[in-house]
Amino acid sequence: MERSRIVAANWKMNVLPSEAMSLAGQVAQALPIKNVEVIICPPFTHLFSLMSLQSESLKIGAQNCNENPFGAHTGDISAQMLKDLGCSYVIIGHSERRARQSTENARISAKIRAALQTGLKPIYCCGEGLPIREKEAHIEFVKDQLETDLSTLQTGHIEEIVIAYEPVWAIGTGKNASPEQAQEMHASIRKWLSDRFGSVLGTQTRILYGGSVKAVNALALAKQNDIDGFLVGGASLNVDEFIKIVHSVSESAND
Ligand code: PEP
């Protein structure tokens, strides 16, 4: 079965609200690009204005959500609020949050559940740090993350999840995983999904790679069997570079 492709832009804490429409508008003008759904995940402050750009080929997502529907969580935003605003996706478990928020790891499963229950599609991030990779314990480490974060989810809900494998050593470092390294992990994630939730889910789930994806390395990565697109940080802030990445993913889908 051919899985549809995704390229998601994680703007992180970049771009001013006054600049967001111009940047996202240039991306929107280059779409649709065959076989690829593009998602822009800007900071919370830009979501409302960018919602008007949402279309079949361009979706808007957030970079995080709180697991509670409402309440005394100053500074946080719930999955329900994002859904009500019109968001389609939400990134959950990004390594920058896992590293800096001491409670993040323990809350990921609940955040994914909250997103799925409200009809938001989670882009769930997993991936090992450099010491784990150097010990060659990366496959086991990511399996443990999947067990902790996903194994209690219900079939019937989890179908909407998108997984992003993002080795921490590759994020923002300019050093991407090789196509072989990424493919090895993506195949292992797919096998874990099949073993845990059945082969249909294992086959259908989109698994994105993230970590220093650029126009120059995108095609070789996108051609791997189990890579269904990318989560792109730095390069998503440059429209030409980002659109070249989307074209590479489209080209790999047409092979
Ligand atoms: C990210 O932040 O999800 C990411 C992949 O960043 P970069 O592309 O800059 O490595």
Side-chain angles (χ1 to χ4, degrees):
M1 194 213 72
E2 185 66 9
R3 290 178 294 273
S4 59
R5 311 291 162 119
I6 289 177
V7 179
N10 175 14
W11 285 4
K12 312 192 192 209
M13 198 176 74
N14 293 301
V15 185
L16 293 173
S18 57
E19 300 163 338
M21 199 53 167
S22 161
L23 181 58
Q26 290 175 66
V27 173
Q29 270 176 6
L31 304 181
I33 294 174
K34 197 170 169 221
N35 290 325
V36 187
E37 182 179 46
V38 171
I39 305 164
I40 294 179
C41 301
F44 286 133
T45 44
H46 312 14
L47 287 170
F48 182 71
S49 64
L50 296 195
M51 219 48 76
S52 62
L53 293 177
Q54 201 157 226
S55 69
E56 269 301 299
S57 52
L58 176 63
K59 302 290 185 221
I60 305 298
Q63 296 175 15
N64 180 39
C65 68
N66 187 289
E67 63 275 34
N68 297 288
F70 48 80
H73 305 283
T74 303
D76 274 11
I77 307 225
S78 72
Q80 265 178 313
M81 290 171 181
L82 296 171
K83 181 68 185 167
D84 191 62
L85 194 62
C87 284
S88 303
Y89 287 88
V90 57
I91 297 172
I92 294 177
H94 193 281
S95 60
E96 287 160 11
R97 294 193 60 83
R98 287 187 192 254
R100 286 165 209 164
Q101 315 280 322
S102 59
T103 58
E104 188 70 10
N105 282 338
R107 295 167 62 194
I108 288 170
S109 185
K111 288 186 181 201
I112 294 173
R113 206 168 298 117
L116 289 169
Q117 275 164 2
T118 47
L120 276 179
K121 297 178 185 173
I123 302 173
Y124 160 71
C125 301
C126 56
E128 81 288 354
L130 190 56
I132 306 278
R133 170 62 64 168
E134 285 174 343
K135 275 195 276 176
E136 296 190 7
H138 48 285
I139 297 283
E140 280 312 307
F141 180 87
V142 170
K143 265 192 217 160
D144 285 349
Q145 281 187 321
L146 298 171
E147 276 297 332
T148 306
D149 299 334
L150 305 186
S151 63
T152 60
L153 299 170
Q154 307 284 324
T155 34
H157 263 146
I158 193 169
E159 285 70 10
E160 300 294 347
I161 202 167
V162 175
I163 296 181
Y165 167 56
E166 296 210 308
V168 180
W169 48 270
I171 295 182
T173 58
K175 189 178 182 311
N176 60 287
S178 69
E180 296 73 24
Q181 286 173 322
Q183 169 57 28
E184 177 199 36
M185 183 63 83
H186 283 228
S188 166
I189 293 170
R190 205 173 288 296
K191 179 165 183 327
W192 182 88
L193 286 168
S194 293
D195 292 347
R196 179 56 70 177
F197 294 104
S199 60
V200 173
L201 195 94
T203 309
Q204 284 179 357
T205 303
R206 270 85 55 85
I207 307 177
L208 314 182
Y209 167 77
S212 297
V213 174
K214 302 185 212 74
V216 290
N217 57 27
L219 186 59
L221 284 158
K223 279 185 168 170
Q224 300 301 308
N225 278 346
D226 291 297
I227 297 183
D228 304 313
F230 300 122
L231 180 54
V232 185
S236 72
L237 300 172
N238 178 318
V239 177
D240 288 346
E241 182 80 4
F242 184 66
I243 293 302
K244 280 185 190 154
I245 293 170
V246 182
H247 275 294
S248 294
V249 171
S250 172
E251 200 181 309
S252 74
N254 296 330
D255 274 352

